[in-house]
Amino acid sequence: MPKPLVVLLNGSSESASVWRPPLLLPYGIDLEEDSVSSVDEAIEKIHNHYSSGDNFVGGMGESDLGVILAAPSSDILDLSESAISLMEQVKAERHGVPFYLATTGIPGDAVDWETWGGSGGKLVEAWLVSLYAASPPYYKAETGGDASPAAFGQVCQFLIEAAEHGMAVEATVA
């Protein structure tokens, strides 16, 4: 079964002290494995993926499963400058590559949706948000019990804001 390319960006941020649950990622992806430490390294990994005969995307790209960007040591929201630079550079050469951004939906700071391409820009195909459960008590139980009472609401607010800014969202539950 074909799978999307997963690029795990390592980086640090001031928001790293914000409590977040681990990401829920498809395909049994291991967040400790195969991460990259720079935008250039990530771009090289993406180009190598698309240059491989196994990942040929023909026609109009309808068979392209795209690239999932995630940040194992913090959250992709904290690495906006690096992630946006990466997507812009790849799209300059491979304009049809869809990017999916995996997040906990708990931003350390306010999300600047225009920067991420909301309301018209098309950098992000969809946000993959780790919602975990359908209610605060189940969210707390699924995330290990360390979640603040407001954490579930923060994730739901993230989903609402993303949709209001014209961004596609997919919520992942455990």
Side-chain angles (χ1 to χ4, degrees):
M1 172 181 194
K3 296 179 183 178
L5 173 65
V6 177
V7 176
L8 303 174
L9 289 173
N10 273 325
S12 59
S13 73
E14 294 161 11
S15 298
S17 62
V18 173
W19 176 87
R20 294 184 174 113
L23 286 171
L24 291 175
L25 293 174
Y27 308 107
I29 296 163
D30 183 357
L31 288 174
E32 302 301 318
E33 182 179 305
D34 208 22
S35 62
V36 296
S37 57
S38 71
V39 169
D40 291 335
E41 192 178 339
I43 291 170
E44 181 180 347
K45 182 175 182 171
I46 293 167
H47 286 311
N48 289 342
H49 173 79
Y50 282 103
S51 298
S52 161
D54 294 339
N55 300 304
F56 174 74
V57 178
M60 300 297 290
E62 62 276 0
S63 63
D64 187 359
L65 297 177
V67 177
I68 296 175
L69 292 181
S73 60
S74 83
D75 195 291
I76 201 70
L77 293 166
D78 299 333
L79 304 176
S80 61
E81 194 172 302
S82 296
I84 290 166
S85 172
L86 183 155
M87 290 185 291
E88 288 174 338
Q89 289 181 58
V90 170
K91 285 183 178 277
E93 293 182 41
R94 300 178 180 276
H95 67 278
V97 174
F99 282 95
Y100 301 87
L101 275 61
T103 179
T104 61
I106 301 177
D109 299 312
V111 178
D112 181 356
W113 293 106
E114 300 308 314
T115 300
W116 286 104
S119 297
K122 189 65 171 169
L123 280 178
V124 180
E125 187 73 20
W127 290 87
L128 308 177
V129 183
S130 298
L131 181 59
Y132 275 94
S135 69
Y138 289 116
Y139 180 88
K140 187 172 180 111
E142 288 293 331
T143 59
D146 293 331
S148 75
F152 180 79
Q154 286 177 295
V155 178
C156 291
Q157 186 62 38
F158 179 89
L159 290 163
I160 291 166
E161 287 180 17
E164 286 176 344
H165 285 88
M167 310 291 282
V169 293
E170 296 178 20
T172 307
V173 293

